[in-house]
Structure formats: structure tokens, C-alpha cells
């Protein structure tokens, strides 16, 4: 069901003025994201005409933009991705681990997204695999699925990594499965210290090799001494690494992943109202507890758009990555070995010849099956309703 107010509605109403006021200050990719969201599931994208095989009712369905930042398109993308990942699940407990950057580093990341977000993935994954491999802790090779989020609940810039990690791993020689404790994976304070050291060391390396750029209020950080002074407070503070209790089972993992893998800065369901005074939406204030955590915020349309565009990722940047046992070409062999050691049968092979599920909604009049009777390309409108003769032919079939 369509939300009463969507991000697309806000972009269509206020986007043109926003672009005009910031001409030359928006990246090509930000403009492309705005255009995709504005035209998603409209006649601009093309589409098809469906008719009911029982009662003849017909409707027009427009194509999706499939942009990864579009709130409308992420549900289908998440379902497809999760179906592919289902075969990777093992019959063990899974942990949710979160690595967060402090505000001083987040400022640098905002102006150097590809470099610093990439470093965030690298440092967090290396921290997990290094501590897990240490015999003093787990002493095993673990698998990691990592997802980048760059926002807080109020769409402020808050880069952090969510990790889903099986509760155990393969021994170094691959001869046995090493299980973690039921409610404990790795010590978060140890993880935080190594994460801080790895990240800051490599961030300084990026600065010294000229791979960081600074503009506006951060322009002075191009000087090495100023950059060191900027980072001085975060060298002493504790870096937040948070580990949640394990999930109840693989099915719960899939359900949980679906809420994280393809999430965007704000879902349409959180938007409550939009008028000339601004955009009103729900958010969580994590400084509060209980029922007070759910809060309401109103932003001007320009500020809402600005915050949304903060989270547009660089072109080609992968926000979901796999490490350890789940990485690349070795994933299949590692999972087969893990199942063998755990005494679990491999997942049933899917029948590639099977017909895909019909995901078209049923007829709103009689619940019958809808079939496509006409397609039309982008920038072209659907024709008039099908003729009675055509509809009677559909019913007869």
C-alpha cells in the first residue's frame, strides 16, 4: 500500500527550487538520485497494462527506477538479496555487532566518502577477524556480512557498520568447528581499541599520501599538524563497538537482515505530513528510554532534502560486503566444510527450471489473476482501455 506522503512527493514539490538554489553545488550523482526518485513508478519510466483473466478489470503499472537510494524500490531488492543469502545460513547462533565512527572522524568522512567509508569497512572487518583468530579469544576463522549505514534516525550524518556474524568459525587448520559461548562472541573493549588503532593509523596514511580533500570549514585540516590536533581527542576516547545478544535462529537472522541490508536514510512509512511549513516525520531519540524514545520532528523541505542527500553513496560503492568464511570465491567451500563439521545436510538445490512466482497483485475487484496485455516504453502513455473483444478473449483463455 502506498504511504500517504513519500520522499518522491517532497522531491517533486520542492526539488526543482532546491536544485535551482544550489546550482553547481550538487554532485551529478545526487542530481541523478533525485531524478530517479521523482520519476519512479510514473509514466516517465514506462510500464505495462494488466487485465484480469476473470472479470476483465484492467490497470496501468509503471516501472520502478531501481535506484538503491529510492525508498520505494528497496523492498523488492531486499527480498531478492535475502533469497540468495538464505543458502549461506548455518544452524548456529548469530550475533549483531556495530562499529561506529566518532563525530570528529565523521566530519572527515562526509567530505571523503569513498576513501573513509572504504577504510571503515576495512578496519572493522580486520578488527573482527584478527581478534576472532586470536587463541585467547575464539581462535577461529569467522564469517561476516557487513552493511554500511551513514545516518542516524533524524537523517543526520552518522556513519557506522552493522555486522551479522555466526557464533563460531573454522579452526585454523579447518579440522573442526569452534563454537563461541552462547551469549558472548568477542570482548567489545578489545575490539574497540584495535578498531581505533587500525582506523587512525590508516587515516593518517591517507592524509599523508594526499588522498583526502578538505573544503569550507574543514579546509585547514589539509595541514598535517592541524589534522593531528583535530584527531587528538579521539585517540584518547573509547570507540563504540556494540554487540547485541544472539538471534533465536536462522529464520530470525533473515528477518533481521531484511530490515538492514537495503534500508535508506528514511522510509516512506516514517513521514507523517508535508505542507508549506515543512516535513514532519517520526524518529528515535536514543538518549531517551521507553515510550519517550519515539519522537516527532518537523524540518523545512530544503533541510529535509539536504539531509537525505547527505547519504547518497559514491557511484559504484558497495554498501554490503562479505568477509572471512563468506568472502568471494572461497565462500562455497567454506560453507560446505562448516556444514560437514556441524553435521548438517547441504541446502536443497533450487530448480532453475521452475517458473518464477507471479508477484503481481491480484485483481482488486474479484481477486483473479492479472496478466500483461500491453507494454509501453519510457515517456509514452498507455493506450485507452482494451476493447470488449480483447477482454472477452482474455476471459475465454
Amino acid at each position: 500500500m502506498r504511504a500517504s506522503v513519500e520522499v518522491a512527493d517532497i522531491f517533486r514539490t520542492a526539488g526543482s527550487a532546491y536544485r535551482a538554489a544550489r546550482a553547481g553545488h550538487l554532485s551529478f550523482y545526487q542530481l541523478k538520485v533525485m531524478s530517479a526518485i521523482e520519476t519512479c513508478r510514473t509514466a516517465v519510466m514506462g510500464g505495462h497494462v494488466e487485465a484480469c483473466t476473470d472479470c476483465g478489470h484492467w490497470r496501468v503499472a509503471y516501472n520502478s527506477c531501481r535506484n538503491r537510494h529510492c525508498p520505494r524500490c528497496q523492498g523488492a531488492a531486499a527480498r531478492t538479496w535475502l533469497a540468495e543469502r538464505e543458502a549461506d545460513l548455518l544452524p548456529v547462533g548469530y550475533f549483531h555487532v556495530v562499529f561506529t565512527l566518532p563525530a570528529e572522524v565523521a566530519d572527515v568522512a562526509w567530505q571523503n566518502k569513498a576513501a573513509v567509508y572504504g577504510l571503515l569497512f576495512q578496519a572493522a572487518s580486520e578488527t573482527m577477524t584478527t581478534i576472532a583468530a586470536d587463541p585467547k579469544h575464539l581462535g577461529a576463522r569467522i564469517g561476516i556480512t557487513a552493511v554500511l549505514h551513514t545516518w542516524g534516525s533524524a537523517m543526520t550524518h552518522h556513519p557506522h557498520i552493522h555486522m551479522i556474524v555466526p557464533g563460531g568459525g573454522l579452526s585454523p587448520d579447518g579440522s573442526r568447528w569452534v563454537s563461541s559461548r552462547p551469549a558472548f562472541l568477542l570482548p567489545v573493549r578489545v575490539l574497540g581499541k584495535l578498531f581505533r588503532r587500525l582506523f587512525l593509523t590508516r587515516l593518517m596514511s591517507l592524509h599523508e599520501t594526499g588522498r583526502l580533500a578538505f573544503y569550507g570549514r574543514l579546509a585547514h585540516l589539509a595541514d598535517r599538524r592541524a589534522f593531528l590536533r583535530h584527531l587528538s581527542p579521539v585517540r584518547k576516547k573509547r570507540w563504540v563497538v556494540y554487540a547485541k545478544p544472539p538471534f533465536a535462529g536462522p529464520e530470525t537472522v533473515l528477518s533481521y537482515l531484511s530490515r538492514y541490508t537495503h534500508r535508506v536514510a528514511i522510509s516512506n512509512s516514517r513521514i507523517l505530513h508535508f505542507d508549506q511549513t515543512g516535513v514532519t516525520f517520526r524518529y528515535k531519540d536514543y538518549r531517551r528510554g521507553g515510550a519517550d524514545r519515539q519522537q516527532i520532528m518537523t524540518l523545512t523541505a530544503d533541510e529535509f532534502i539536504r539531509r537525505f542527500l547527505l547519504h547518497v553513496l559514491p557511484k559504484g560503492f558497495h554498501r554490503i560486503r562479505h568477509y572471512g568464511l563468506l568472502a568471494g570465491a572461497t565462500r562455497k567451500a567454506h560453507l560446505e566444510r562448516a556444514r560437514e563439521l556441524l553435521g548438517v545436510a547441504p541446502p536443497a538445490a533450487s530448480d532453475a527450471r521452475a517458473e518464477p512466482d507471479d508477484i503481481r497483485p491480484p485483481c482488486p475487484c474479484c481477486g483473479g489473476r492479472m496478466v500483461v496485455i500491453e507494454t509501453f516504453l519510457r515517456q509514452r502513455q498507455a493506450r485507452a482501455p482494451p476493447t470488449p473483444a480483447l477482454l472477452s478473449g482474455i476471459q475465454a483463455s
Side-chain angles (χ1 to χ4, degrees), residues 286-351:
Y286 289 98
R287 294 169 296 183
R288 301 170 182 257
D292 289 340
R293 177 163 287 186
Q294 288 288 345
Q295 297 287 313
I296 304 296
M297 175 181 291
T298 299
L299 301 174
T300 65
D302 278 8
E303 176 62 12
F304 180 91
I305 295 173
R306 186 193 73 82
R307 291 195 187 189
F308 188 93
L309 295 180
L310 283 177
H311 310 292
V312 171
L313 295 175
K315 183 178 180 181
F317 189 91
H318 294 280
R319 66 179 179 186
I320 306 173
R321 304 187 185 188
H322 307 278
Y323 299 95
L325 302 182
L326 301 179
T330 61
R331 175 185 61 83
K332 183 177 180 181
H334 284 148
L335 289 173
E336 288 178 352
R337 180 58 176 159
R339 289 192 181 94
E340 179 184 347
L341 294 172
L342 289 166
V344 180
S350 60
D351 186 356

Side-chain angles (χ1 to χ4, degrees), residues 81-87 89 164 247 249-261:
W81 186 86
L82 289 171
E84 296 170 352
R85 298 274 77 80
E86 188 171 7
L89 293 176
I164 306 298
F247 300 100
E251 296 78 11
T252 312
V253 176
L254 279 180
S255 175
Y256 195 83
L257 273 174
S258 68
R259 302 201 300 269
Y260 277 90
T261 52

Side-chain angles (χ1 to χ4, degrees), residues 98-117:
V98 183
F99 287 81
T100 303
L101 290 180
E104 295 87 346
V105 178
D107 289 342
V108 177
W110 181 66
Q111 295 190 358
N112 300 272
K113 291 182 177 181
V116 180
Y117 292 166

Side-chain angles (χ1 to χ4, degrees), residues 149-221:
H149 285 186
T150 63
W151 54 85
S153 187
M155 294 197 297
T156 52
H157 188 235
H158 178 62
H160 54 286
I161 294 280
H162 293 270
M163 290 183 172
I164 306 298
V165 186
L170 294 177
S171 62
D173 61 1
S175 63
R176 60 192 178 91
W177 176 265
V178 181
S179 295
S180 67
R181 284 186 267 169
F184 180 83
L185 181 62
L186 297 168
V188 292
R189 285 187 177 271
V190 175
L191 293 173
K193 289 180 180 179
L194 180 58
F195 175 51
R196 179 181 62 191
R197 178 168 63 82
L198 290 176
F199 188 96
L200 290 178
T201 299
R202 291 169 188 178
L203 186 65
M204 281 304 306
S205 178
L206 290 177
H207 188 278
E208 290 168 358
T209 55
R211 294 166 61 190
L212 298 179
F214 301 97
Y215 310 95
R217 66 183 180 83
L218 298 184
H220 67 287
L221 296 183

Side-chain angles (χ1 to χ4, degrees), residues 68-149:
R68 62 177 172 168
H69 299 90
C70 176
R72 271 191 167 190
C73 294
Q74 295 316 297
R79 287 191 294 273
T80 301
W81 186 86
L82 289 171
E84 296 170 352
R85 298 274 77 80
E86 188 171 7
D88 294 349
L89 293 176
L90 297 171
V92 297
Y94 278 75
F95 291 82
H96 177 196
V97 183
V98 183
F99 287 81
T100 303
L101 290 180
E104 295 87 346
V105 178
D107 289 342
V108 177
W110 181 66
Q111 295 190 358
N112 300 272
K113 291 182 177 181
V116 180
Y117 292 166
L119 177 55
L120 174 56
F121 268 115
Q122 183 185 44
S125 61
E126 187 172 331
T127 296
M128 287 293 293
T129 54
T130 299
I131 300 302
D134 189 336
K136 292 188 298 183
H137 299 293
L138 187 62
R141 291 179 293 160
I142 60 172
I144 301 169
T145 295
V147 184
L148 172 69
H149 285 186

